[in-house]
Amino acid sequence: MKCNGLLLLILCAIRSSAADVDDPTLVTLPEGQIRGQALRSPNDNVYYAFQEVPYAAPPVGALRFQAPVALAKWEGILNTTKNEKICYQGGDVYIPIPELNPTEDCLYLNVYTPLKPGQTSQTPLPVLIWIHGGGFETGTGAIQIFKPGFVIDHDIVVVTINYRVVALGFLTTEDGVIPGNLGLKDQHFAFQWVKNNIHLFGGDPEKITISGESAGGASVGLQLVSQRNKGLFRGAILQSGTSVAQWAHQNYARFYAFELARSLDPSFTSDNSTELLELLQSFPASNINNNTVTAAVGKESALLGSLIWLPVIEEASLDGALITGLFHEDIRTGNINQVPIIIGFNSEEALLFLNSDPSDVEVRAKYFDSDLSNLIRNQFNMTKEKQTDSWH
Ligand SMILES: *[C@@H]1O[C@H](CO)[C@@H](O)[C@H](O)[C@H]1NC(C)=O
Ligand SMILES: *[C@@H]1O[C@H](CO)[C@@H](O)[C@H](O)[C@H]1NC(C)=O
Ligand SMILES: *[C@@H]1O[C@H](CO)[C@@H](O)[C@H](O)[C@H]1NC(C)=O
Ligand SMILES: *[C@@H]1O[C@H](CO)[C@@H](O)[C@H](O)[C@H]1NC(C)=O
């Protein structure tokens, strides 16, 4: 149905935010219509896939290095039948995948449902949100990597998401000019999208579980402690990562933000956050992404400095702060989103890293083996004795 003209406007208003009963591949979101497609699971069950659905305004131009904001409405039907856009990737572990193009305009999610969208007589299904890993510097929710079929066969609605990574997702001035944890704020924004819209796909907004692996598991852990997520999910699954992981936090974020600016423009000597933001918004995103800032001596806060762009603890007074204060104290006292959680890892799974430079692996192994307290972040405020107590 075309939404032109005054009379139709009224009709369209009545029909807005609904799925089309006659066509399970057409869904009407508050911002506009999307058309997905029917696919088949490994057990040959039909499910409906809606790929690359925008969940926030493209974080480009003046929105680069800012928290995600609501999307504008669109006209016509948006084709949501392929994954192409992924966030700019970093690090040396990124393996390009044909058809996937790293880009700044990357805030998209995928919805897969075994139910026919629009059939209101069906009992809504539980929902699983998947947050990819990749050290906060690589990864995507695209179907080329995460296929939903096996979960679909258990009658679960699956949502996979992209979120900003590397500098574009985690660089911060720590004073609110470039807010911290932008990639985590993208995730939180996607949770809200799911809460508001998943009923249109046969999902139950009261039965949402968030899940993730590695940096995705750490993300789930961080979202668990954030008070801003209250009511957005009722369960959490953390695989191979938690909020207190040594590698999931940057202690020197402001320093590295200015390091990046100085490497882009050696004449930049300011320590003014607004001037930094202006400079960083004036470069093409690819330049920002290709620029490698390496750990400075004495400021190697994560995995011996191999990771730079990471979550931070934000000042609670800052606008939109997501992860605040000494949140490990909140975990200790139980002042977190108290939902059932599943948490675990696989034996020997770090063998993955033996692929990397062996001398590097040895350096890291020795770093932790020689002093187990290196596994514990310094801002936990633990005495040296306490840090190693539980190992004896
Ligand atoms: C949407 O996708 C279908 C099927 O791939 C194609 O026929 C159609 O031209 C596409 N529409 C637009 C506007 O790209
Ligand atoms: C930072 O720079 C901006 C723009 O040049 C200026 O308006 C502002 O006063 C400066 N702030 C500080 C704290 O110097
Ligand atoms: C940045 O890296 C990408 C991928 O390796 C490459 O295609 C692009 O040309 C690079 N851009 C710049 C400005 O170096
Ligand atoms: C951290 O430890 C110092 C020294 O024991 C103490 O003065 C301070 O209050 C502690 N901070 C927190 C937040 O517990």
Side-chain angles (χ1 to χ4, degrees):
M1 180 169 78
K2 291 215 169 62
C3 290
N4 302 328
L6 203 63
L7 273 175
L8 278 174
L9 204 72
I10 298 161
L11 252 174
C12 287
I14 292 167
R15 285 174 56 103
S16 76
S17 297
D20 190 313
V21 258
D22 309 320
D23 180 355
T25 66
L26 186 68
V27 171
T28 304
L29 296 164
E31 298 85 14
Q33 291 188 298
I34 55 173
R35 186 183 303 282
Q37 63 188 322
L39 297 176
R40 282 183 184 273
S41 74
N43 288 346
D44 219 26
N45 294 317
V46 170
Y47 67 94
Y48 298 92
F50 300 83
Q51 291 159 259
E52 213 157 275
V53 180
Y55 68 84
V60 303
L63 294 180
R64 178 190 293 170
F65 289 123
Q66 297 300 305
V69 299
L71 268 178
K73 288 185 161 55
W74 63 83
E75 298 278 325
I77 301 174
L78 200 65
N79 253 0
T80 54
T81 51
K82 312 189 244 214
N83 283 105
E84 289 172 341
K85 295 174 183 169
I86 65 173
C87 295
Y88 268 117
Q89 308 279 299
D92 42 15
V93 290
Y94 172 56
I95 302 154
I97 290 169
E99 307 149 36
L100 292 183
N101 300 317
T103 164
E104 198 175 10
D105 167 19
C106 67
L107 298 185
Y108 296 91
L109 52 73
N110 308 300
V111 183
Y112 310 102
T113 177
L115 292 186
K116 278 189 174 160
Q119 305 227 331
T120 46
S121 60
Q122 305 168 113
T123 306
L125 296 178
V127 180
L128 185 78
I129 301 178
W130 175 253
I131 304 174
H132 67 78
F136 300 103
E137 57 178 24
T138 65
T140 164
I143 200 167
Q144 288 87 338
I145 300 180
F146 295 113
K147 298 181 174 59
F150 290 104
V151 185
I152 289 288
D153 284 338
H154 291 276
D155 281 338
I156 292 169
V157 174
V158 178
V159 180
T160 63
I161 65 175
N162 288 350
Y163 56 94
R164 281 173 285 177
V165 290
V166 219
L168 290 165
F170 289 93
L171 179 148
T172 172
T173 53
E174 298 193 274
D175 57 3
V177 174
I178 298 178
N181 299 321
L182 293 175
L184 298 176
K185 286 170 183 168
D186 295 340
Q187 297 170 6
H188 164 76
F189 212 75
F191 299 167
Q192 289 178 312
W193 187 98
V194 173
K195 183 82 178 173
N196 294 336
N197 295 314
I198 207 64
H199 66 285
L200 301 171
F201 302 85
D204 186 340
E206 300 308 319
K207 292 186 179 165
I208 298 169
T209 296
I210 60 170
S211 66
E213 183 263 348
S214 192
S219 297
V220 170
L222 289 162
Q223 302 291 357
L224 271 171
V225 302
S226 175
Q227 300 298 328
R228 288 184 58 209
N229 284 315
K230 206 150 254 164
L232 289 182
F233 47 78
R234 64 134 194 195
I237 303 172
L238 297 81
Q239 304 178 4
S240 314
T242 75
S243 59
V244 296
Q246 184 267 2
W247 45 265
H249 175 257
Q250 177 54 268
N251 226 2
Y252 306 99
R254 185 176 171 85
F255 168 80
Y256 286 115
F258 283 85
E259 279 285 282
L260 179 69
R262 285 189 286 266
S263 71
L264 286 164
D265 176 2
S267 71
F268 183 77
T269 52
S270 164
D271 63 356
N272 177 312
S273 300
T274 310
E275 288 171 6
L276 176 82
L277 175 62
E278 279 167 10
L279 179 89
L280 293 179
Q281 286 181 339
S282 74
F283 277 90
S286 61
N287 281 34
I288 288 175
N289 200 60
N290 286 12
N291 228 276
T292 41
V293 168
T294 50
V297 175
K299 293 191 168 67
E300 309 94 335
S301 64
L303 283 178
L304 278 173
S306 63
L307 300 174
I308 301 278
W309 311 109
L310 293 169
V312 294
I313 294 176
E314 298 165 74
E315 278 293 331
S317 61
L318 292 175
D319 198 30
L322 188 76
I323 307 298
T324 56
L326 287 176
F327 68 77
H328 45 278
E329 285 300 312
D330 290 332
I331 295 174
R332 203 174 56 78
T333 60
N335 182 28
I336 64 168
N337 297 290
Q338 295 221 9
V339 297
I341 69 173
I342 299 175
I343 185 166
F345 61 95
N346 295 308
S347 146
E348 318 264 336
E349 66 176 31
L351 286 175
L352 172 71
F353 295 106
L354 286 182
N355 238 351
S356 355
D357 180 358
S359 59
D360 187 45
V361 171
E362 202 181 326
V363 168
R364 286 188 210 176
K366 279 195 179 139
Y367 173 70
F368 292 113
D369 281 351
S370 66
D371 185 353
L372 286 172
S373 69
N374 285 331
L375 285 167
I376 296 168
R377 288 196 212 144
N378 43 11
Q379 81 274 39
F380 285 7
N381 216 22
M382 270 187 188
T383 62
K384 202 79 179 165
E385 300 77 65
K386 269 249 171 74
Q387 287 186 8
T388 46
D389 252 7
S390 52
W391 304 96
H392 297 312

